[in-house]
Amino acid sequence: MMELTINGTVYQFKFGMGFLREVNKMTTIPVKDIPGKEMNIGMQYAFGELLDGNVETLCDVLYIANKDQKPRLKKEDIDSYIEDENTDIEDVFKQVIDFLKSANATKKITAEVLKMMEEQKKAAELEAAKEKKAEKKQK
């Protein structure tokens, strides 16, 4: 369970199955070869957005993770907390990402996203190296 102190009150955030189900509903894609069937991929998308530093996604994730907790945060409270110049937003991103990587309900998905991103980075580096080599040959 992750905790943040906002305006002097400690709030808890749970990244369990309820969180996963809710976040997954945020983004869906059609399932290939099964007309009318969709697959929920919100967690993969949200985690990628968090890694990219998307503040709106951070607010949404915090809101959903606090949904069944007491005390309960309003979206406006989270927005104010994130907007506050005294909030270390980089630390909030780090805490959320670290909890998502370690929570039983989300750690497999986050590991897959990180692996996919690493593979894409390597492929882009390889492509850039090939282009650079081709440029040298042309000169």
Side-chain angles (χ1 to χ4, degrees):
M1 184 100 41
M2 186 181 107
E3 293 182 345
L4 289 174
T5 302
I6 301 174
N7 295 327
T9 303
V10 176
Y11 293 92
Q12 296 182 331
F13 301 86
K14 185 176 180 184
F15 300 100
M17 288 305 299
F19 167 82
L20 180 61
R21 286 185 185 103
E22 188 76 23
V23 169
N24 266 340
K25 292 178 192 176
M26 291 171 51
T27 306
T28 61
I29 59 170
V31 175
K32 185 180 177 184
D33 299 328
I34 305 177
K37 178 72 175 161
E38 292 186 331
M39 182 169 63
N40 296 333
I41 61 159
M43 183 59 215
Q44 291 92 327
Y45 183 78
F47 188 68
E49 291 289 305
L50 289 172
L51 291 172
D52 286 342
N54 186 310
V55 177
E56 187 175 356
T57 300
L58 177 64
C59 292
D60 291 343
V61 164
L62 288 172
Y63 181 76
I64 294 168
N66 176 255
K67 196 170 190 173
D68 295 326
Q69 305 303 307
K70 289 190 169 103
R72 178 78 175 111
L73 276 165
K74 296 177 188 163
K75 283 193 174 191
E76 299 81 33
D77 299 328
I78 296 169
D79 291 350
S80 295
Y81 175 70
I82 294 300
E83 292 169 356
D84 186 334
E85 62 188 37
N86 296 315
T87 298
D88 182 351
I89 194 163
E90 296 304 322
D91 184 57
V92 177
F93 270 109
K94 182 181 180 325
Q95 286 184 60
V96 170
I97 289 167
D98 287 348
F99 267 87
L100 290 171
K101 290 191 311 190
S102 65
N104 278 345
T106 58
K107 67 182 170 185
K108 186 173 190 294
I109 294 169
T110 58
E112 289 171 358
V113 171
L114 289 169
K115 180 181 176 187
M116 183 178 64
M117 291 179 79
E118 185 63 32
E119 289 171 355
Q120 288 176 348
K121 181 181 174 184
K122 286 179 183 177
E125 289 171 354
L126 184 62
E127 186 62 32
K130 285 180 182 178
E131 288 176 10
K132 193 172 184 177
K133 188 175 180 180
E135 286 176 9
K136 284 183 179 181
K137 280 186 175 182
Q138 288 179 351
K139 290 181 181 182

